[in-house]
Amino acid sequence: MKKVRASAPWALAGLGLFLASTAGAATERTTAVLMGNVAGYQQVEYLPDGQVKVHYEFNDRGRGPSLDSTYRVNANGTLAAVETQGADYLKAQVNERYTVSGTQHSWKNSAEEEQREVPGAVFYLSLNSPPEETVLLIRAALKAPNKRIALLPTGEAQVTPVGTYTVKGKAGSKRVKLYALTGVDLTPSYTWLDEEQRFFASVSGWMKFVREGFEDVTPQLDGFQEKEERRLAEARAKEFTTKLDRPLAIINARVFDPGTLAVEEAQTVLVTKGRITAVGPSAKVAVPSGARTLDAQGKFLMPGLWDMHVHISSGAGGPLAIASGVTTVRDLANEERTLNDLISAVEAGRDIGPRVIRAGFMDGRSPYSGPTKVFVDTEEEGRKAIEHYASKGYEQIKIYSSIKPELVPALVRMAHEKGLRLSGHVPAFMTAKQFIEAGADEIQHINFLALNFLFDKVQDTRTPARFTAVGENANALDLSSPAVREFIALLKKHNVTVDPTVSIFDDMFHNHPGHWNAGASPLLGRVPPTWQRWIRAGGGGLPDVPKHPERYRDSFNRLVEFVGLLHRSGVHIVAGTDNLSGLFLARELELYVAAGIPPREVLRIATLGNAEVMKRDKEYGRVLPGYVADLILVEGDPTLLMSDLRKVRHVIRGDRMFESAALFRSMGIAP
């Protein structure tokens, strides 16, 4: 399930604004809304002496930050001092300080302690910050030359005014301005300010921050902001998409077909109108007159990759996936309208992204409900939700941790009656064995399989206990025990698919302040400076990892071994990340190799195997005449070295072609 990663580089959390009051203290509150449900708030107090005091918190299934920050702001908008205390998204302690004396800047947090001499205006980005800090940055940049300002410890940010609009709600009318912030994330992030340049809102498909009393105007803000996002997406698609309006001949390629696991040398593949029309030795396949030619020069050609666990969003997600060779994804929970609009834009060529298979998401009502607008506590509610998803063309139902266990058999039956698969988290107070016996087709996340053997330690898995219990105890799980063998036999008997997403535990079970997992190392030399800083900081780890690093490491290794055992035992594995496909699918597949799965079989899992689960294997996942021409050209040979999948050079997605390097560079990432 998609997570709000307050400690991750792409989650410079929400947005607010500072304006010191000369008449006295002023307090403003912002409501945090997660998928339509109020999840928390930010309260900001503007003091006469220029200090800004901020409290920020939200609850996301028992996770979520709780921060208290005090800022002193200089006349030019830069920070004179910052102090933040509290807890981050995964409840690790936060204690951060930053001060300036002349040109001497000093800061200390959980991962960094540094002093640096810096002349001129510079803005310090806290490692963990409330939403208000982002807008303090925007105000500082607006005062700087060319609306551009250097960042500490690294990077540069620029602000661009987009437009001014009037919104009308129950609290009245408000004149607001939209600003785009670049340099911190891979694509622009957006902030709404009022006429006094105070925070008004920040909106996205998943989470919205809006001034208290104006929550009802978010649809208007969505509309205005989406217009700007669509403009940028269409410009990006126009610049980086090569429309294959005539036949394409890929010559001199080494072709891998997952159906046979064979690699054929010196091949030509012809593509016409988005389909493969011929495959064979380059010496024998004639290239049609007028065809476009792509000389592979011996590079590795294979079907496009599939990521079976995403929560795709506009902005960088689609282009990142395509640049990395991911041509199909399965979205396992999203806001319906936002997802449909994105799919429509991509399919029409107005944006860049993979093909999307949709799964409808539902959860029960509880203090730990997942971010959704679809709640199911009765069979009737379940029937209505499933009928709705089926009528809209969804292919799967995903249930979540607060669903009542006694409802699962009925939900399975109703989903199957509509021709839909059913998968999900194993609901709280239920074992994976019981979930399988109730008829589930698939289980998300390898930790839920481990939890089957930890039921005596944790039953309520709606909270982060579903992570900590595994981190603390999976190291002792005997994978050769009769209990594990019986469980695997049950998976096989019921033909249950497993979506391990083992790579999400890479950060969770390894990272702690100043120490990051080895899986992130390949990203360090490629991503923008702000991302590099957060990776090195070692965020995203569970709070107790520093206390027992060996235990958590061994538990992670046991989860990896479990994946390999499942595959060797004949259980169907699908490859998914629950993350940004373009940056993390290669790591997921590397871990499958580490689990003992031969590389050629791993490539099959990530292509034809995934297509088989979704019953699309007659058109996708092979390099054969008649198949859809979703193809990637790779430098190297991932049948020998899986990390070569990070060297995708060209991507063909049916009737359009992309150069990976150009797409990566457009997002500030080195190819």
Side-chain angles (χ1 to χ4, degrees), residues 12-279:
L12 188 62
L15 306 157
L17 174 69
F18 160 74
L19 180 66
S21 168
T22 57
T27 301
E28 292 180 354
R29 280 177 66 101
T30 298
T31 303
V33 181
L34 186 60
M35 281 295 286
N37 306 303
V38 174
Y41 70 97
Q42 176 181 261
Q43 181 167 301
V44 183
E45 188 176 11
Y46 312 99
L47 301 177
D49 62 0
Q51 283 194 98
V52 183
K53 289 185 176 293
V54 185
H55 176 76
Y56 172 54
E57 63 177 72
F58 70 81
N59 175 39
D60 176 22
R61 299 157 287 169
R63 291 166 278 180
S66 179
L67 299 173
D68 287 287
S69 301
T70 301
Y71 295 87
R72 286 196 296 111
V73 184
N74 296 316
N76 66 352
T78 60
L79 304 180
V82 182
E83 183 171 349
T84 297
Q85 294 182 328
D88 68 10
Y89 178 78
L90 287 175
K91 303 304 183 184
Q93 184 178 1
V94 173
N95 191 344
E96 183 163 11
R97 288 178 176 82
Y98 164 79
T99 57
V100 182
S101 178
T103 58
Q104 187 75 22
H105 300 254
S106 304
W107 63 94
K108 183 178 181 180
N109 52 52
S110 61
E112 304 166 330
E113 184 171 5
E114 189 170 347
Q115 292 184 349
R116 195 181 301 176
E117 189 81 19
V118 183
V122 64
F123 191 96
Y124 175 74
L125 287 183
S126 299
L127 195 60
N128 291 278
S129 63
E132 188 73 8
E133 183 170 295
T134 302
V135 183
L136 295 176
L137 166 60
I138 290 172
R139 283 182 56 87
L142 287 171
K143 293 182 178 182
N146 300 316
K147 300 181 178 61
R148 186 186 298 266
I149 192 166
L151 302 174
L152 270 180
T154 183
E156 183 180 72
Q158 184 171 22
V159 172
T160 303
V162 174
T164 303
Y165 309 86
T166 298
V167 293
K168 297 179 181 180
K170 294 178 182 177
S173 297
K174 201 75 175 175
R175 193 78 170 157
V176 292
K177 181 174 284 191
L178 178 63
Y179 292 89
L181 175 66
T182 56
V184 176
D185 211 337
L186 302 181
T187 55
S189 57
Y190 296 94
T191 309
W192 291 91
L193 310 181
D194 67 13
E195 290 183 297
E196 295 179 314
Q197 287 197 326
R198 291 194 179 184
F199 169 67
F200 186 74
S202 162
V203 297
S204 70
W206 279 93
M207 197 160 191
K208 304 179 191 297
F209 297 84
V210 64
R211 183 173 298 177
E212 192 173 65
F214 286 89
E215 292 87 352
D216 60 329
V217 307
T218 54
Q220 300 170 53
L221 299 174
D222 278 330
F224 294 133
Q225 184 171 313
E226 286 169 4
K227 183 178 179 180
E228 172 63 12
E229 292 173 336
R230 285 195 301 267
R231 184 187 68 81
L232 294 178
E234 289 178 15
R236 178 176 61 213
K238 183 177 180 180
E239 181 176 358
F240 296 108
T241 304
T242 298
K243 188 69 174 176
L244 298 179
D245 49 8
R246 53 194 170 98
L248 170 69
I250 307 169
I251 63 173
N252 301 321
R254 301 180 67 240
V255 174
F256 172 72
D257 178 29
T260 63
L261 302 183
V263 178
E264 301 292 344
E265 304 287 337
Q267 299 287 293
T268 289
V269 176
L270 297 183
V271 175
T272 306
K273 296 181 180 180
R275 295 266 178 175
I276 299 170
T277 53
V279 181

Side-chain angles (χ1 to χ4, degrees), residues 569-585:
S569 301
V571 176
H572 204 128
I573 302 295
V574 292
T577 61
D578 197 13
N579 213 324
L580 284 171
S581 302
L583 296 181
F584 295 98
L585 184 58

Side-chain angles (χ1 to χ4, degrees), residues 378-647:
T378 67
E379 284 194 31
E380 182 58 27
E381 287 181 329
R383 180 177 293 105
K384 289 180 180 179
I386 289 169
E387 287 177 350
H388 170 79
Y389 285 130
S391 71
K392 298 297 182 181
Y394 284 69
E395 301 179 36
Q396 186 163 322
I397 298 297
K398 178 188 175 186
I399 66 174
Y400 209 60
S401 301
S402 294
I403 289 285
K404 296 174 183 177
E406 60 267 25
L407 282 179
V408 175
L411 295 175
V412 170
R413 173 177 49 79
M414 291 185 286
H416 288 175
E417 286 173 354
K418 293 293 182 179
L420 306 181
R421 296 164 46 74
L422 186 138
S423 72
H425 286 199
V426 175
F429 310 106
M430 190 179 201
T431 66
K433 179 177 182 290
Q434 293 168 337
F435 191 53
I436 295 164
E437 292 172 337
D441 299 293
E442 182 177 337
I443 298 176
Q444 263 74 54
H445 308 304
I446 191 68
N447 63 311
F448 281 104
L449 275 65
L451 286 166
N452 185 73
F453 307 97
L454 300 173
F455 200 65
D456 60 326
K457 300 183 183 298
V458 58
Q459 291 86 45
D460 189 352
T461 55
R462 298 173 299 175
T463 73
R466 64 175 175 260
F467 309 127
T468 55
V470 176
E472 291 286 344
N473 297 285
N475 63 316
L477 179 60
D478 182 1
L479 295 179
S480 64
S481 66
V484 172
R485 291 201 300 269
E486 290 171 7
F487 178 72
I488 291 175
L490 185 70
L491 286 167
K492 289 178 62 179
K493 176 183 176 182
H494 289 265
N495 195 29
V496 174
T497 297
V498 175
D499 166 25
T501 66
V502 70
S503 58
I504 64 171
F505 302 101
D506 228 350
D507 283 356
M508 209 176 286
F509 286 14
H510 286 125
N511 283 16
H512 55 98
H515 301 271
W516 67 93
N517 72 83
S521 297
L523 296 177
L524 276 177
R526 301 179 59 202
V527 295
T530 50
W531 280 45
Q532 293 184 32
R533 184 257 184 126
W534 275 298
I535 290 173
R536 288 192 174 96
L542 292 169
D544 285 347
V545 170
K547 300 176 186 175
H548 309 290
E550 295 86 2
R551 183 185 302 171
Y552 277 85
R553 178 202 63 204
D554 292 346
S555 291
F556 176 78
N557 290 338
R558 192 58 43 86
L559 295 182
V560 173
E561 292 169 2
F562 204 165
V563 172
L565 177 61
L566 291 170
H567 176 76
R568 288 187 295 276
S569 301
V571 176
H572 204 128
I573 302 295
V574 292
T577 61
D578 197 13
N579 213 324
L580 284 171
S581 302
L583 296 181
F584 295 98
L585 184 58
R587 179 58 178 166
E588 182 78 13
L589 301 183
E590 285 176 331
L591 291 170
Y592 295 177
V593 175
I597 305 175
R600 295 186 190 221
E601 294 180 26
V602 172
L603 295 178
R604 188 190 191 284
I605 289 170
T607 53
L608 183 60
N610 287 345
E612 286 172 344
V613 169
M614 302 313 300
K615 296 181 170 53
R616 300 194 179 193
D617 53 302
K618 303 305 180 186
E619 289 192 291
Y620 295 88
R622 298 196 68 179
V623 187
L624 288 177
Y627 274 68
V628 173
D630 285 359
L631 302 165
I632 62 175
L633 198 60
V634 179
E635 187 85 45
D637 188 340
T639 68
L640 301 176
L641 191 64
M642 193 57 63
S643 60
D644 281 347
L645 280 182
R646 294 189 178 88
K647 301 176 184 177

